[in-house]
């Protein structure tokens, strides 16, 4: 998983001053969340480059080894150990490469936001604990922090911590909401400023969530 990732790119205006790197969930691809841009973006916002990468294709253990796009293998149902830690670490490195590419294009880390849904959000949260980049914020949708206790114990929390927008479905059958709540608590205890939202939905995104996320982003762009 050392290859450069192919991406879907959507720029909302000329000469973008901000970037949002958005990681999809298991079995999807970079096109999955691209349609959210016109629903999310507001007229008065600065020009933004949305980067939607395609995860590598790899076999997934709980799906009988079926190859699909994934940020890491899922080896079981126990949320304390289901995420392949080596795979998560490899995807964090891939995310680092995407951040470096945006910095090379003239966007400072302080104007880069990291977003992810489900598996993608797990990688985003894992990346944030390493504190390599002083990013502007984290968006974690229908996701959790893999092995929250161990991750929190190893976290680098020196310096200001980025704000987090975290949202989840009360009826999520893939990642139960209490797992996400536990992750949110761990992040708050580390000092992350975290805004939590819960919606009457399954493993998905809803209109109310997009509105709330837009409000949260609006505060970042001021």
């Amino acid at each position: 998983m050392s290859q450069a990732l192919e991406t879907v790119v959507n720029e909302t205006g000329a000469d973008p001053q901000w970037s949002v790197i958005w990681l999809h969930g298991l079995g999807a691809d970079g096109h999955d969340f691209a349609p959210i841009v016109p629903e999310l973006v507001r007229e008065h916002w600065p020009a933004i480059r949305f980067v939607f990468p395609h995860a590598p294709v790899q076999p997934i253990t709980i799906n009988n080894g079926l190859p699909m796009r994934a940020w890491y293998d899922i080896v079981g149902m126990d949320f304390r150990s289901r995420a392949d830690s080596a795979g998560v670490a490899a995807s964090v490195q891939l995310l680092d490469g995407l951040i470096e590419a945006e910095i090379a294009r003239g966007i400072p880390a302080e104007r880069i936001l990291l977003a992810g849904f489900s598996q993608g959000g797990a990688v985003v949260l894992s990346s944030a604990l390493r504190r390599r980049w002083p990013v502007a914020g984290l968006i974690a949708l229908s996701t959790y922090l893999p092995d929250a206790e161990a991750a929190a114990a190893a976290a680098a929390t020196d310096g200001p911590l980025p704000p987090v927008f975290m949202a989840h479905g009360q009826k999520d059958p893939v990642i139960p909401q209490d797992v996400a709540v536990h992750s949110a608590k761990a992040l708050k205890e580390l000092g992350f400023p975290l805004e939590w939202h819960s919606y009457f939905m399954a493993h998905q995104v809803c209109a109310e969530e997009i509105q709330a996320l837009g409000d949260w982003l609006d505060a970042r762009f001021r």
Side-chain angles (χ1 to χ4, degrees), residues 106-206:
I107 308 295
E110 294 83 0
R111 289 191 175 185
I112 297 175
L113 293 123
L114 306 179
F117 176 83
S118 195
Q119 261 206 348
V123 172
V124 163
L125 293 178
S126 298
S127 172
L129 295 190
R130 294 171 64 247
R131 301 284 292 122
R132 182 176 178 187
W133 308 104
V135 296
L138 312 171
I139 301 163
L141 308 180
S142 299
T143 192
Y144 74 109
L145 176 63
D147 196 358
E149 284 76 15
T157 56
D158 52 311
L161 296 172
V164 181
F165 177 94
M166 196 166 183
H168 213 88
Q170 297 165 13
K171 300 296 182 179
D172 192 330
V174 177
I175 302 173
Q177 182 171 251
D178 61 347
V179 175
V181 168
H182 181 72
S183 295
K185 180 181 178 183
L187 292 168
K188 285 182 177 180
E189 289 177 349
L190 286 170
F192 284 86
L194 189 145
E195 184 173 311
W196 170 264
H197 293 265
S198 176
Y199 300 96
F200 191 77
M201 64 179 184
H203 196 63
Q204 62 191 96
V205 174
C206 65

Side-chain angles (χ1 to χ4, degrees), residues 26-27 56-61 63-70:
L26 176 67
V57 174
Q58 59 180 303
I60 301 301
T61 298
N63 289 346
N64 296 316
L66 183 68
M68 61 185 64
R69 291 198 181 276

Side-chain angles (χ1 to χ4, degrees), residues 62-104:
I62 64 164
N63 289 346
N64 296 316
L66 183 68
M68 61 185 64
R69 291 198 181 276
W71 297 108
Y72 53 85
D73 188 17
I74 299 177
V75 298
M77 299 307 295
D78 188 340
F79 278 90
R80 293 170 297 181
S81 59
R82 65 178 286 165
D84 164 36
S85 58
V88 172
S91 284
V92 166
Q93 289 186 340
L94 291 176
L95 180 55
D96 281 346
L98 293 168
I99 296 170
E100 290 170 350
E102 288 308 295
I103 293 172

